[in-house]
Amino acid sequence: MRYSQKRMATEENKNAAAGSGSQSGAKAATQPAAQQGFVYLPLIAGWLVPGAGHFLLGKWIRGSLLAASVLGMFVTGLAMKGELYTSVHNILDILCLAGDLGNGLLYVAGRVAGWGAEQVQTTVADWGARFIVVSGLLNVIAAVDAHNLRTGRKS
Amino acid sequence: MTYFPAVLLFALFASTVFGITQRETPRGMIRYGIYCFVLFVGSAIALSWLMFFIAR
């Protein structure tokens, strides 16, 4: 592994970059269990289920707070009769749909269950639609944070 | 729901995520979360007053 960003030059990464094939195999055996396996798993899990990426890494408090924040914003948006974007008509709709997709399985569940208003009709419902979009964007930030924890970019 | 509770809820959720993801230590997370919360709410109040005076 080679990383170009700050804080990536940990002893572990330096050793992995400097080591030969046989040595890296031996080092892999000495790595903790949390550092082995599919490196993108926390990223994908965190995107699909809010907080799951942090739970996989044993960061229970952080994961719980992130899950509560994302779920809270999503549910608040639905309670305000916000819209789940299903089709796109212009560039703003495309951006809003991309934000909604950041909610992962919450968006899929919402589509399947028919949550959200068909059409935004009040000012509060417009705020609700923004809440849902922003909850998806916050979920993406949380998933990337889980990935950074997994790769050692963040402690 | 009126505008101000919506602002408070939005600021609370967003600043929680920002605090956790943008800082490394628990102390730094709390401080940055509070900083973001104050900025969200403060800027909403400031812009509201600005629009109030523009509309007069």
Side-chain angles (χ1 to χ4, degrees):
Chain A
M1 285 184 286
R2 259 185 273 169
Y3 302 97
S4 58
Q5 297 191 355
K6 277 186 177 179
R7 297 182 187 152
M8 295 310 294
T10 59
E11 282 305 313
E12 188 178 295
N13 290 336
K14 284 179 188 171
N15 292 338
S20 63
S22 61
Q23 286 175 328
S24 63
K27 285 185 176 72
T30 61
Q31 286 179 335
Q35 296 299 316
Q36 296 177 0
F38 186 45
V39 74
Y40 294 106
L41 185 60
L43 177 70
I44 296 169
W47 168 56
L48 291 175
V49 180
H54 287 76
F55 292 149
L56 279 176
L57 299 170
K59 305 282 186 187
W60 300 103
I61 296 175
R62 291 188 204 183
S64 302
L65 287 170
L66 290 171
S69 297
V70 173
L71 278 171
M73 191 166 267
F74 185 82
V75 170
T76 306
L78 288 179
M80 294 161 86
K81 306 248 184 291
E83 174 188 8
L84 276 176
Y85 285 84
T86 55
S87 59
V88 292
H89 303 293
N90 55 49
I91 183 71
L92 287 178
D93 283 352
I94 294 172
L95 293 174
C96 290
L97 179 62
D100 276 4
L101 287 171
N103 286 298
L105 291 181
L106 279 177
Y107 177 78
V108 176
R111 287 289 305 274
V112 171
W115 296 340
E118 291 288 323
Q119 199 171 11
V120 171
Q121 292 179 330
T122 63
T123 306
V124 174
D126 192 35
W127 301 344
R130 301 301 153 243
F131 267 60
I132 295 170
V133 170
V134 174
S135 74
L137 299 175
L138 292 177
N139 191 40
V140 170
I141 293 174
V144 171
D145 185 62
H147 179 65
N148 288 339
L149 287 168
R150 172 65 178 81
T151 56
R153 199 172 294 165
K154 185 183 174 192
S155 58
Chain B
M1 182 179 286
T2 58
Y3 182 72
F4 194 63
V7 166
L8 291 180
L9 277 176
F10 185 95
L12 177 69
F13 295 138
S15 49
T16 302
V17 175
F18 284 176
I20 292 172
T21 57
Q22 303 301 313
R23 292 293 181 270
E24 297 201 359
T25 62
R27 184 180 170 83
M29 291 175 186
I30 293 170
R31 286 171 63 95
Y32 190 67
I34 292 171
Y35 174 73
C36 288
F37 183 83
V38 170
L39 276 188
F40 271 127
V41 178
S43 58
I45 292 171
L47 287 172
S48 302
W49 277 108
L50 180 67
M51 287 188 282
F52 172 77
F53 286 117
I54 288 173
R56 282 167 68 92

